[in-house]
Coordinates of all heavy atoms in Angstrom, one line a residue:
S1 N 4.2 -6.0 1.4 CA 3.0 -5.2 1.0 C 2.1 -5.0 2.3 O 2.1 -5.8 3.2 CB 2.2 -6.1 0.0 OG 1.0 -5.4 -0.3
L2 N 1.4 -3.9 2.2 CA 0.4 -3.6 3.3 C -0.9 -4.2 2.8 O -1.0 -4.6 1.6 CB 0.3 -2.1 3.5 CG 1.5 -1.3 3.9 CD1 1.1 0.0 4.5 CD2 2.4 -2.1 4.9
M3 N -1.9 -4.3 3.7 CA -3.2 -4.8 3.3 C -4.2 -3.9 4.0 O -3.9 -3.2 5.0 CB -3.3 -6.2 3.8 CG -3.2 -6.4 5.3 SD -3.5 -8.1 5.9 CE -5.3 -8.2 5.8
I4 N -5.4 -4.0 3.5 CA -6.5 -3.2 4.1 C -7.5 -4.2 4.8 O -7.9 -5.2 4.1 CB -7.2 -2.3 3.0 CG1 -6.3 -1.3 2.5 CG2 -8.5 -1.7 3.6 CD1 -6.8 -0.5 1.3
T5 N -7.8 -3.9 6.0 CA -8.7 -4.9 6.7 C -10.1 -4.5 6.6 O -10.5 -3.4 6.1 CB -8.4 -4.9 8.2 OG1 -8.9 -3.7 8.8 CG2 -6.9 -5.0 8.5
D6 N -11.0 -5.3 7.0 CA -12.5 -5.1 6.9 C -13.0 -4.0 7.8 O -14.2 -3.7 7.8 CB -13.3 -6.4 7.0 CG -13.1 -7.0 8.4 OD1 -12.5 -6.3 9.3 OD2 -13.6 -8.1 8.6
E7 N -12.1 -3.3 8.5 CA -12.5 -2.1 9.2 C -12.6 -0.9 8.3 O -13.0 0.2 8.7 CB -11.5 -1.8 10.4 CG -11.7 -2.8 11.5 CD -10.5 -2.7 12.5 OE1 -10.5 -1.7 13.2 OE2 -9.6 -3.6 12.5
C8 N -12.1 -1.0 7.1 CA -12.2 0.1 6.1 C -13.6 0.7 6.0 O -14.6 -0.1 5.9 CB -11.7 -0.4 4.7 SG -11.9 0.7 3.4
I9 N -13.7 2.0 6.0 CA -15.0 2.7 5.9 C -15.2 3.3 4.5 O -16.0 4.2 4.3 CB -15.1 3.7 7.0 CG1 -14.0 4.8 6.9 CG2 -15.2 3.1 8.4 CD1 -14.2 6.0 7.8
N10 N -14.3 2.9 3.5 CA -14.5 3.4 2.2 C -14.5 4.9 2.0 O -15.3 5.5 1.3 CB -15.8 2.8 1.5 CG -15.7 1.3 1.4 OD1 -14.8 0.8 0.8 ND2 -16.7 0.6 1.8
C11 N -13.6 5.5 2.8 CA -13.5 7.0 2.8 C -12.8 7.6 1.5 O -12.9 8.7 1.3 CB -12.9 7.5 4.0 SG -11.2 7.2 4.2
D12 N -12.0 6.7 0.9 CA -11.3 7.1 -0.3 C -10.1 8.1 -0.1 O -9.6 8.8 -1.0 CB -12.2 7.7 -1.4 CG -11.5 7.9 -2.7 OD1 -10.8 7.0 -3.1 OD2 -11.7 9.0 -3.4
V13 N -9.7 8.2 1.2 CA -8.6 9.2 1.5 C -7.3 8.6 1.1 O -6.4 9.3 0.6 CB -8.6 9.5 3.0 CG1 -7.3 10.2 3.4 CG2 -9.8 10.4 3.4
C14 N -7.1 7.3 1.2 CA -5.8 6.7 0.9 C -5.5 6.6 -0.6 O -4.3 6.8 -1.0 CB -5.7 5.3 1.5 SG -7.1 4.2 1.0
E15 N -6.5 6.3 -1.4 CA -6.2 6.0 -2.8 C -5.4 7.1 -3.5 O -4.4 6.8 -4.2 CB -7.6 5.8 -3.6 CG -7.3 5.5 -5.0 CD -8.6 5.4 -5.8 OE1 -9.7 5.7 -5.3 OE2 -8.5 5.1 -7.0
P16 N -5.7 8.4 -3.4 CA -4.9 9.4 -4.1 C -3.5 9.6 -3.6 O -2.6 10.2 -4.2 CB -5.7 10.7 -4.0 CG -6.6 10.5 -2.9 CD -6.9 9.0 -2.8
E17 N -3.3 9.1 -2.4 CA -1.9 9.3 -1.7 C -0.9 8.2 -2.2 O 0.3 8.4 -2.0 CB -2.1 9.1 -0.2 CG -3.0 10.2 0.4 CD -2.4 11.6 0.2 OE1 -1.2 11.8 0.1 OE2 -3.3 12.5 0.1
C18 N -1.4 7.1 -2.8 CA -0.5 6.1 -3.2 C 0.4 6.4 -4.4 O -0.2 6.6 -5.5 CB -1.2 4.8 -3.4 SG -0.1 3.4 -3.8
P19 N 1.7 6.5 -4.2 CA 2.5 6.9 -5.4 C 2.6 5.8 -6.5 O 3.1 6.1 -7.6 CB 3.9 7.1 -4.7 CG 3.9 6.2 -3.6 CD 2.5 6.2 -3.0
N20 N 2.2 4.6 -6.1 CA 2.3 3.5 -7.1 C 0.9 3.1 -7.7 O 0.8 2.1 -8.5 CB 2.8 2.3 -6.4 CG 4.3 2.5 -6.0 OD1 5.0 3.2 -6.7 ND2 4.7 2.0 -4.8
G21 N -0.2 3.8 -7.3 CA -1.5 3.4 -7.8 C -1.9 2.0 -7.4 O -2.6 1.3 -8.1
A22 N -1.5 1.6 -6.2 CA -1.7 0.3 -5.8 C -3.1 0.1 -5.1 O -3.5 -1.0 -4.9 CB -0.6 -0.2 -4.8
I23 N -3.7 1.2 -4.8 CA -5.0 1.2 -4.0 C -6.2 1.4 -4.9 O -6.1 2.3 -5.8 CB -5.0 2.2 -2.9 CG1 -3.8 2.0 -2.0 CG2 -6.3 2.1 -2.1 CD1 -3.6 3.0 -0.9
S24 N -7.2 0.6 -4.8 CA -8.4 0.8 -5.6 C -9.6 0.4 -4.8 O -9.5 -0.4 -3.8 CB -8.3 0.1 -6.9 OG -8.2 -1.3 -6.6
P25 N -10.8 0.9 -5.2 CA -12.0 0.4 -4.5 C -12.3 -1.0 -4.9 O -12.4 -1.3 -6.1 CB -13.1 1.4 -5.1 CG -12.4 2.4 -5.9 CD -11.1 1.9 -6.2
G26 N -12.4 -1.9 -3.9 CA -12.7 -3.3 -4.2 C -14.2 -3.5 -4.3 O -15.0 -2.5 -4.3
E27 N -14.7 -4.7 -4.2 CA -16.1 -4.9 -4.3 C -16.8 -4.4 -3.0 O -17.9 -3.9 -3.1 CB -16.4 -6.4 -4.5 CG -16.1 -6.8 -5.9 CD -16.6 -8.2 -6.2 OE1 -17.3 -8.8 -5.4 OE2 -16.2 -8.8 -7.3
E28 N -16.2 -4.6 -1.9 CA -16.8 -4.2 -0.6 C -16.0 -3.1 0.1 O -16.5 -2.2 0.7 CB -17.0 -5.4 0.3 CG -18.1 -6.3 -0.2 CD -18.4 -7.5 0.6 OE1 -17.8 -7.6 1.8 OE2 -19.2 -8.3 0.2
I29 N -14.7 -3.3 0.1 CA -13.8 -2.3 0.7 C -12.6 -2.0 -0.2 O -12.4 -2.7 -1.2 CB -13.2 -2.8 2.1 CG1 -12.5 -4.1 1.9 CG2 -14.3 -2.9 3.2 CD1 -11.8 -4.6 3.1
Y30 N -11.8 -1.0 0.2 CA -10.7 -0.7 -0.6 C -9.6 -1.8 -0.5 O -9.6 -2.5 0.5 CB -10.1 0.6 -0.2 CG -10.8 1.8 -0.9 CD1 -12.1 2.1 -0.6 CD2 -10.1 2.6 -1.8 CE1 -12.8 3.1 -1.2 CE2 -10.8 3.6 -2.5 CZ -12.1 3.9 -2.2 OH -12.8 4.9 -2.8
V31 N -8.9 -2.0 -1.6 CA -7.9 -3.1 -1.7 C -6.6 -2.6 -2.2 O -6.5 -1.6 -2.9 CB -8.4 -4.2 -2.6 CG1 -9.6 -4.9 -2.0 CG2 -8.7 -3.7 -4.0
I32 N -5.5 -3.3 -1.7 CA -4.1 -3.0 -2.2 C -3.7 -4.1 -3.1 O -3.8 -5.3 -2.7 CB -3.2 -2.8 -1.0 CG1 -3.6 -1.6 -0.2 CG2 -1.7 -2.8 -1.4 CD1 -2.8 -1.4 1.1
D33 N -3.1 -3.7 -4.3 CA -2.6 -4.7 -5.2 C -1.1 -5.0 -4.7 O -0.3 -4.1 -4.8 CB -2.6 -4.2 -6.6 CG -1.9 -5.2 -7.6 OD1 -1.2 -6.1 -7.1 OD2 -2.1 -5.0 -8.8
P34 N -0.8 -6.2 -4.1 CA 0.5 -6.4 -3.6 C 1.6 -6.3 -4.6 O 2.8 -6.1 -4.2 CB 0.4 -7.8 -2.9 CG -0.8 -8.4 -3.5 CD -1.7 -7.3 -4.0
S35 N 1.3 -6.5 -5.9 CA 2.3 -6.4 -6.9 C 2.8 -5.0 -7.1 O 3.8 -4.7 -7.7 CB 1.9 -7.1 -8.2 OG 0.9 -6.3 -8.8
L36 N 2.0 -4.0 -6.6 CA 2.3 -2.6 -6.8 C 2.7 -1.9 -5.5 O 3.2 -0.8 -5.5 CB 1.1 -1.9 -7.4 CG 0.7 -2.3 -8.9 CD1 -0.5 -1.5 -9.3 CD2 1.9 -2.0 -9.8
C37 N 2.4 -2.5 -4.4 CA 2.7 -1.8 -3.1 C 4.2 -2.1 -2.7 O 4.6 -3.2 -2.5 CB 1.8 -2.4 -2.0 SG 2.3 -1.7 -0.3
T38 N 4.9 -1.0 -2.6 CA 6.3 -1.1 -2.2 C 6.5 -0.6 -0.8 O 7.6 -0.4 -0.3 CB 7.2 -0.2 -3.1 OG1 6.8 1.2 -2.9 CG2 7.1 -0.6 -4.6
E39 N 5.4 -0.5 -0.1 CA 5.4 0.0 1.3 C 6.0 1.5 1.2 O 6.5 1.9 2.2 CB 6.1 -0.9 2.3 CG 5.5 -2.3 2.4 CD 6.2 -3.3 3.2 OE1 7.0 -2.8 4.1 OE2 6.0 -4.5 3.0
C40 N 5.8 2.1 0.1 CA 6.3 3.4 -0.2 C 7.8 3.5 -0.4 O 8.3 4.6 -0.5 CB 5.7 4.5 0.7 SG 4.0 4.9 0.3
V41 N 8.5 2.4 -0.3 CA 10.0 2.4 -0.6 C 10.2 2.9 -2.0 O 9.5 2.6 -2.9 CB 10.5 1.0 -0.4 CG1 12.0 0.9 -1.0 CG2 10.5 0.6 1.1
G42 N 11.2 3.8 -2.1 CA 11.4 4.5 -3.4 C 10.8 5.9 -3.5 O 11.2 6.7 -4.3
H43 N 9.8 6.1 -2.6 CA 9.1 7.4 -2.7 C 9.1 8.1 -1.4 O 9.4 9.3 -1.4 CB 7.6 7.1 -3.1 CG 7.4 6.6 -4.5 ND1 7.4 7.4 -5.6 CD2 7.1 5.4 -4.9 CE1 7.2 6.7 -6.7 NE2 7.0 5.4 -6.3
F44 N 8.8 7.4 -0.3 CA 8.6 8.1 1.0 C 9.2 7.3 2.1 O 9.4 6.0 2.0 CB 7.1 8.4 1.3 CG 6.4 9.2 0.3 CD1 5.6 8.7 -0.7 CD2 6.6 10.6 0.3 CE1 5.0 9.4 -1.6 CE2 5.9 11.4 -0.6 CZ 5.1 10.8 -1.6
D45 N 9.5 7.9 3.2 CA 10.0 7.2 4.4 C 9.0 6.3 5.1 O 9.3 5.4 5.8 CB 10.6 8.2 5.4 CG 11.9 8.8 4.9 OD1 12.5 8.2 4.0 OD2 12.3 9.9 5.4
E46 N 7.7 6.8 5.0 CA 6.6 6.1 5.7 C 5.5 5.8 4.7 O 5.3 6.5 3.7 CB 6.0 7.0 6.8 CG 7.0 7.5 7.8 CD 7.3 6.4 8.8 OE1 6.6 5.4 8.9 OE2 8.4 6.5 9.4
P47 N 4.8 4.7 4.9 CA 3.7 4.3 4.0 C 2.7 5.5 4.1 O 2.1 5.8 5.2 CB 3.2 3.0 4.6 CG 4.3 2.4 5.3 CD 5.1 3.6 5.9
Q48 N 2.4 6.1 3.0 CA 1.5 7.2 2.9 C 0.1 6.9 3.3 O -0.6 7.7 3.9 CB 1.6 7.9 1.6 CG 3.0 8.4 1.2 CD 3.5 9.5 2.2 OE1 2.9 10.6 2.2 NE2 4.4 9.2 3.1
C49 N -0.4 5.7 2.8 CA -1.7 5.4 3.1 C -2.0 5.2 4.6 O -3.0 5.6 5.2 CB -2.1 4.1 2.4 SG -1.0 2.7 2.7
Q50 N -1.0 4.6 5.3 CA -1.1 4.5 6.8 C -1.2 5.8 7.5 O -1.9 6.0 8.4 CB 0.1 3.7 7.3 CG 0.0 2.2 7.3 CD 1.2 1.6 8.0 OE1 2.3 2.2 8.1 NE2 1.1 0.3 8.4
Q51 N -0.5 6.8 6.9 CA -0.5 8.1 7.5 C -1.8 8.8 7.5 O -2.2 9.6 8.4 CB 0.5 9.0 6.8 CG 1.9 8.5 6.7 CD 2.7 8.5 8.0 OE1 2.7 9.5 8.7 NE2 3.1 7.3 8.4
V52 N -2.6 8.5 6.5 CA -3.9 9.2 6.3 C -5.1 8.5 6.7 O -6.2 9.1 6.9 CB -4.0 9.7 4.8 CG1 -2.9 10.7 4.4 CG2 -4.1 8.6 3.8
C53 N -5.0 7.2 6.8 CA -6.2 6.4 7.1 C -6.8 6.8 8.5 O -6.1 6.6 9.5 CB -5.9 4.9 7.1 SG -7.4 3.9 7.4
P54 N -8.1 7.2 8.5 CA -8.7 7.7 9.7 C -9.0 6.6 10.7 O -9.2 6.9 11.9 CB -9.9 8.4 9.3 CG -10.3 7.8 8.0 CD -9.0 7.4 7.3
V55 N -9.0 5.3 10.3 CA -9.4 4.2 11.2 C -8.2 3.2 11.4 O -8.4 2.2 11.9 CB -10.7 3.5 10.7 CG1 -11.9 4.4 10.8 CG2 -10.5 3.0 9.3
D56 N -7.0 3.6 10.9 CA -5.9 2.7 11.1 C -6.1 1.3 10.7 O -5.8 0.4 11.4 CB -5.4 2.8 12.5 CG -4.6 4.0 12.9 OD1 -4.0 4.6 11.9 OD2 -4.6 4.4 14.0
C57 N -6.6 1.1 9.5 CA -6.9 -0.3 9.1 C -6.0 -0.8 7.9 O -6.4 -1.6 7.1 CB -8.4 -0.4 8.6 SG -8.8 0.5 7.1
I58 N -4.7 -0.3 7.9 CA -3.8 -0.7 6.8 C -2.5 -1.2 7.5 O -1.5 -0.5 7.5 CB -3.5 0.5 5.9 CG1 -4.8 1.3 5.5 CG2 -2.9 -0.1 4.6 CD1 -4.6 2.4 4.5
P59 N -2.6 -2.4 8.0 CA -1.4 -3.0 8.5 C -0.5 -3.7 7.5 O -0.9 -3.8 6.3 CB -1.9 -4.1 9.5 CG -3.2 -4.6 8.8 CD -3.7 -3.3 8.1
L60 N 0.7 -4.1 7.9 CA 1.5 -5.0 7.1 C 0.8 -6.3 6.9 O 0.2 -6.8 7.8 CB 2.8 -5.3 7.8 CG 4.1 -4.5 7.5 CD1 5.2 -5.0 8.4 CD2 4.5 -4.6 6.0
D61 N 0.8 -6.8 5.7 CA 0.2 -8.1 5.4 C 1.2 -9.2 5.9 O 2.3 -9.3 5.3 CB 0.0 -8.3 3.9 CG -0.7 -9.5 3.5 OD1 -0.7 -10.5 4.4 OD2 -1.3 -9.6 2.4
P62 N 0.8 -9.9 6.9 CA 1.8 -10.9 7.5 C 2.1 -12.0 6.6 O 3.1 -12.7 6.7 CB 1.0 -11.4 8.7 CG -0.4 -11.1 8.5 CD -0.5 -9.9 7.6
E63 N 1.3 -12.2 5.5 CA 1.6 -13.3 4.6 C 2.5 -12.7 3.4 O 2.8 -13.5 2.5 CB 0.3 -13.9 4.0 CG -0.4 -14.7 5.1 CD -1.7 -15.3 4.7 OE1 -2.0 -15.2 3.5 OE2 -2.3 -15.9 5.5
R64 N 2.8 -11.4 3.4 CA 3.6 -10.9 2.3 C 4.7 -10.0 2.9 O 4.8 -8.8 2.6 CB 2.7 -10.1 1.4 CG 1.7 -10.9 0.7 CD 0.8 -10.0 -0.3 NE -0.3 -10.7 -0.8 CZ -0.3 -11.5 -1.9 NH1 0.8 -11.8 -2.5 NH2 -1.4 -12.1 -2.3
E65 N 5.5 -10.6 3.8 CA 6.6 -9.8 4.3 C 7.7 -9.8 3.3 O 8.0 -10.7 2.7 CB 7.1 -10.5 5.6 CG 6.2 -10.2 6.8 CD 6.9 -10.8 8.1 OE1 8.1 -10.8 8.2 OE2 6.1 -11.2 9.0
E66 N 8.2 -8.6 3.1 CA 9.3 -8.4 2.1 C 10.4 -7.6 2.7 O 10.2 -6.7 3.6 CB 8.7 -7.6 0.9 CG 7.7 -8.4 0.2 CD 6.7 -7.5 -0.6 OE1 5.8 -6.9 0.0 OE2 6.9 -7.3 -1.8
T67 N 11.6 -7.9 2.3 CA 12.8 -7.1 2.8 C 12.8 -5.7 2.1 O 12.1 -5.6 1.0 CB 14.1 -7.8 2.4 OG1 14.2 -7.9 1.0 CG2 14.2 -9.2 3.0
R68 N 13.5 -4.8 2.6 CA 13.7 -3.5 2.0 C 14.3 -3.6 0.6 O 13.8 -2.9 -0.3 CB 14.5 -2.6 2.9 CG 14.4 -1.2 2.5 CD 15.1 -0.2 3.4 NE 15.1 1.1 2.8 CZ 14.1 1.9 2.9 NH1 13.0 1.6 3.7 NH2 14.1 3.1 2.3
D69 N 15.2 -4.5 0.4 CA 15.8 -4.8 -0.9 C 14.8 -5.2 -1.9 O 14.7 -4.8 -3.0 CB 17.0 -5.8 -0.8 CG 18.2 -5.1 -0.2 OD1 18.3 -3.9 -0.1 OD2 19.2 -5.9 0.0
A70 N 13.9 -6.2 -1.4 CA 12.9 -6.7 -2.3 C 11.9 -5.6 -2.7 O 11.5 -5.5 -3.9 CB 12.2 -7.9 -1.7
L71 N 11.6 -4.7 -1.7 CA 10.7 -3.6 -2.0 C 11.3 -2.7 -3.0 O 10.6 -2.1 -3.9 CB 10.3 -3.0 -0.7 CG 9.4 -3.8 0.2 CD1 9.4 -3.2 1.6 CD2 8.0 -4.0 -0.3
M72 N 12.6 -2.4 -2.8 CA 13.3 -1.5 -3.8 C 13.3 -2.1 -5.2 O 13.1 -1.4 -6.2 CB 14.7 -1.2 -3.2 CG 15.4 -0.2 -4.1 SD 14.6 1.4 -4.2 CE 15.0 2.2 -2.7
E73 N 13.5 -3.4 -5.2 CA 13.5 -4.1 -6.6 C 12.1 -3.9 -7.2 O 12.0 -3.7 -8.4 CB 13.9 -5.5 -6.4 CG 15.4 -5.8 -6.4 CD 15.7 -7.2 -6.1 OE1 14.9 -8.1 -6.4 OE2 16.8 -7.4 -5.4
K74 N 11.1 -4.1 -6.4 CA 9.7 -4.0 -6.9 C 9.5 -2.5 -7.4 O 9.0 -2.3 -8.5 CB 8.7 -4.3 -5.8 CG 7.3 -4.5 -6.3 CD 6.3 -4.5 -5.2 CE 6.4 -5.7 -4.3 NZ 5.3 -5.8 -3.3
Y75 N 10.0 -1.6 -6.6 CA 9.9 -0.2 -7.1 C 10.5 0.0 -8.4 O 10.0 0.7 -9.3 CB 10.5 0.7 -6.0 CG 10.8 2.1 -6.5 CD1 9.8 3.1 -6.7 CD2 12.2 2.5 -6.7 CE1 10.2 4.3 -7.1 CE2 12.5 3.7 -7.2 CZ 11.5 4.7 -7.4 OH 11.8 5.9 -7.8
Q76 N 11.7 -0.5 -8.6 CA 12.5 -0.3 -9.8 C 11.8 -1.0 -11.0 O 11.8 -0.5 -12.1 CB 13.9 -0.8 -9.7 CG 14.7 0.3 -8.9 CD 16.0 -0.2 -8.3 OE1 16.2 -1.4 -8.2 NE2 16.8 0.7 -7.7
R77 N 11.1 -2.2 -10.7 CA 10.4 -2.8 -11.8 C 9.2 -2.0 -12.2 O 8.9 -1.9 -13.4 CB 9.9 -4.2 -11.3 CG 10.9 -5.3 -11.4 CD 10.2 -6.7 -11.3 NE 9.3 -6.9 -10.2 CZ 9.7 -7.3 -9.0 NH1 11.0 -7.6 -8.8 NH2 8.9 -7.5 -8.0
I78 N 8.5 -1.4 -11.2 CA 7.3 -0.6 -11.5 C 7.7 0.6 -12.4 O 7.1 1.0 -13.4 CB 6.6 -0.1 -10.2 CG1 6.0 -1.3 -9.5 CG2 5.5 0.9 -10.5 CD1 5.6 -1.1 -8.1
V79 N 8.8 1.3 -12.0 CA 9.3 2.5 -12.7 C 9.7 2.1 -14.1 O 9.3 2.8 -15.1 CB 10.5 3.1 -11.9 CG1 11.2 4.2 -12.8 CG2 10.1 3.7 -10.6
A80 N 10.4 1.0 -14.3 CA 10.8 0.5 -15.6 C 9.6 0.2 -16.5 O 9.7 0.4 -17.7 CB 11.7 -0.7 -15.5
A81 N 8.5 -0.3 -15.8 CA 7.4 -0.6 -16.6 C 6.6 0.6 -17.0 O 5.6 0.5 -17.8 CB 6.5 -1.6 -15.8
G82 N 6.9 1.7 -16.4 CA 6.2 3.0 -16.7 C 4.9 3.0 -16.0 O 3.9 3.5 -16.5
Ligands
SF4_1 FE1 0.6 2.6 -1.8 FE2 2.6 3.1 -0.1 FE3 0.2 2.4 0.8 FE4 1.7 0.6 -0.5 S1 2.2 1.6 1.5 S2 -0.4 0.9 -0.8 S3 2.8 1.9 -2.0 S4 0.7 4.3 -0.2
SF4_2 FE1 -10.4 2.5 3.9 FE2 -8.6 3.7 5.4 FE3 -8.4 3.9 2.7 FE4 -10.4 5.1 4.1 S1 -8.2 5.5 4.2 S2 -10.6 3.9 2.1 S3 -10.8 3.7 5.7 S4 -8.2 2.0 3.9

């Protein structure tokens, strides 16, 4: 999963780009739900939120490293859940 750091300026550019609906406005800054972030695996070659963030504040979450297979499984679970 990716994460949003406190450098977020709440511009709302990333939220509509997420194919999994994983991004939402949090209490202070935007947040990513790690149970929904597939790092865009299943949809795109590159994380779409990272592509559009004007301040580059969406790194990989070092505490939630996942293999490509695990991300693909997450994608398939999300699709199955509708
Ligand atoms: Fe959504 Fe993709 Fe960003 Fe994860 S990497 S939050 S799935 S846009
Ligand atoms: Fe925050 Fe970047 Fe998303 Fe804008 S695009 S809301 S700065 S994480």
Side-chain angles (χ1 to χ4, degrees):
S1 174
L2 304 195
M3 60 177 285
I4 295 174
T5 75
D6 59 10
E7 288 167 73
C8 172
I9 57 171
N10 292 311
C11 70
D12 191 43
V13 166
C14 55
E15 183 186 1
E17 298 299 327
C18 180
N20 295 324
I23 304 176
S24 61
E27 286 191 12
E28 291 181 5
I29 55 172
Y30 276 67
V31 293
I32 291 175
D33 179 343
S35 69
L36 294 178
C37 175
T38 62
E39 299 175 21
C40 283
V41 168
H43 293 280
F44 300 101
D45 291 339
E46 301 286 339
Q48 298 299 291
C49 54
Q50 273 184 341
Q51 305 290 306
V52 298
C53 179
V55 293
D56 281 336
C57 69
I58 318 182
L60 263 178
D61 185 339
E63 293 181 2
R64 295 182 191 276
E65 282 186 33
E66 295 155 282
T67 64
R68 195 174 171 84
D69 282 353
L71 292 165
M72 185 56 82
E73 279 172 29
K74 192 193 293 186
Y75 162 74
Q76 282 160 351
R77 277 200 305 275
I78 293 168
V79 170

